[in-house]
Amino acid sequence: MSISTTTEREIRSQPEVWARAVAAAREGARVLGRPGERVLLLGCGTSAFVAESVAVLRERAGHGETDAAYASEWTPGRAYDRVVVISRSGTTSEVLEALALVPAGTVRAAVVGVAGSPVAEVADEALVLDFADEESVVQTRFPTSVLALARTGFGEDLSPVLDQAAEALAAPLPVEPSRFDHFVFLGRSWSYGLAQEAALKIREAAQAWSESYPALDYRHGPVAVAGETSLVTLFGDADPALAADIERTGATVQHWDLDPLVQLVQAQRLAVELAGARGLDADHPRHLTRSVVLG
Ligand code: F1P
């Protein structure tokens, strides 16, 4: 198996990088909220989807009420004990602007990939995951490392997930993406954030048509576009009844029997393979930069 892009190399490094995130969780997860705190998580792009998933995981683990929002859309209103921003670069304008709006008395916390970045400097508490930072514009291992850390901090043992990721990465991707021109990712609960991230990878890396929905909402309209050249991927648990309904459109439905975090790794690989098949360089996504810094 030849590795030709930096993005691909970073995708493959995930099991080792997650191990470091897991090791950092005991101390690090405190930044995501002390038990019982009311927390809001914010981010842009990939980091907004991670915020969504972490919010579901934290509340589901019983650690306290947790909301998530796009940093660019949030306005102060509801009372929180802590606002946590997620930003790999630590330079995203909308994230800095949101932090400036956090009312006095609310803890401003940050999860970043770069120590000393503007977001880290402004925050009251910063969790720096520099070992998970990336050269690629397209984010892969940073967001999954934040999720691995959060899940560990919320009480899960991630060791089987690390093994599963290594095993999945050692095998070829069980699908030929170039057969399709339309990619749909469906998820439920915390895997809906992952489905949104997977669809973003396809757009960013492969400039292809992709969509994402909460799984049971797919029948409520979006299924009208599905057809012979659609590949619909179910994140989270399998749903044979939903799969059968989608297959009736002529679409191909796939469900990887893996932990949702490893399902996302497979989707990252799918995006990069698709980019290659379309003659695109995943390391140089069109119109994108590492972070959006507004003048
Ligand atoms: C967020 C982000 C990336 C995206 C793009 C621009 O960056 O939206 O997810 O791929 O290149 O920036 P960050 O705030 O997490 O650094």
Side-chain angles (χ1 to χ4, degrees):
M1 224 175 295
S2 72
I3 297 173
S4 52
T5 62
T6 302
T7 311
E8 221 174 321
R9 200 165 44 244
E10 288 170 347
I11 289 171
R12 301 192 76 82
S13 72
Q14 286 176 108
E16 293 111 73
V17 178
W18 292 358
R20 297 187 67 177
V22 165
R26 187 191 290 267
E27 276 304 304
R30 290 167 56 81
V31 171
L32 298 173
R34 312 291 195 264
E37 279 183 349
R38 272 179 58 82
V39 171
L40 170 68
L41 290 142
L42 298 174
C44 292
T46 290
S47 297
F49 302 138
V50 176
E52 256 190 61
S53 287
V54 171
V56 176
L57 286 164
R58 180 173 185 269
E59 197 165 290
R60 205 178 71 172
H63 285 229
E65 290 180 4
T66 316
D67 288 332
Y70 285 97
S72 56
E73 285 296 322
W74 177 67
T75 46
R78 298 186 190 180
Y80 295 104
D81 299 307
R82 168 182 303 256
V83 173
V84 184
V85 297
I86 301 172
S87 175
R88 178 184 67 174
S89 63
T91 57
T92 298
S93 295
E94 296 92 331
V95 168
L96 283 162
E97 283 161 19
L99 275 174
L101 296 176
V102 175
T106 303
V107 179
R108 290 168 307 166
V111 183
V112 296
V114 183
S117 56
V119 170
E121 290 296 298
V122 161
D124 304 314
E125 290 179 17
L127 168 60
V128 181
L129 305 180
D130 47 5
F131 56 82
D133 194 14
E134 297 163 291
E135 274 178 49
S136 300
V137 170
V138 172
Q139 298 203 28
T140 56
R141 72 183 188 190
F142 181 77
T144 57
S145 295
V146 176
L147 285 156
L149 182 146
R151 288 173 70 182
T152 307
F154 302 151
E156 269 188 77
D157 172 12
L158 268 252
S159 11
V161 179
L162 266 64
D163 292 345
Q164 204 184 74
E167 218 173 286
L169 282 163
L173 199 61
V175 61
E176 178 47 67
S178 58
R179 281 179 47 219
F180 305 96
D181 64 6
H182 177 216
F183 300 85
V184 180
F185 296 90
L186 305 178
R188 301 193 70 179
S189 179
W190 74 279
S191 77
Y192 174 48
L194 306 187
Q196 292 178 85
E197 169 60 5
L200 181 66
K201 288 311 90 170
I202 299 283
R203 291 190 287 273
E204 287 184 327
Q207 295 168 28
W209 177 23
S210 65
E211 307 175 82
S212 51
Y213 300 96
L216 296 189
D217 236 61
Y218 192 58
R219 293 186 179 103
H220 294 263
V223 70
V225 206
E228 300 287 336
T229 56
S230 306
L231 176 63
V232 182
T233 305
L234 304 184
F235 269 44
D237 296 333
D239 182 337
L242 178 61
D245 285 350
I246 299 170
E247 275 162 356
R248 264 193 287 280
T249 68
T252 299
V253 179
Q254 66 170 348
H255 175 261
W256 295 303
D257 188 17
L258 299 165
D259 180 272
L261 205 54
V262 187
Q263 291 172 341
L264 178 56
V265 172
Q266 297 294 71
Q268 295 168 343
R269 296 173 70 195
L270 194 144
V272 170
E273 279 194 22
L274 182 65
R278 294 180 140 217
L280 300 169
D281 176 3
D283 289 346
H284 296 98
R286 188 170 62 162
H287 310 318
L288 298 180
T289 48
R290 176 169 155 88
S291 78
V292 174
V293 179
L294 302 172

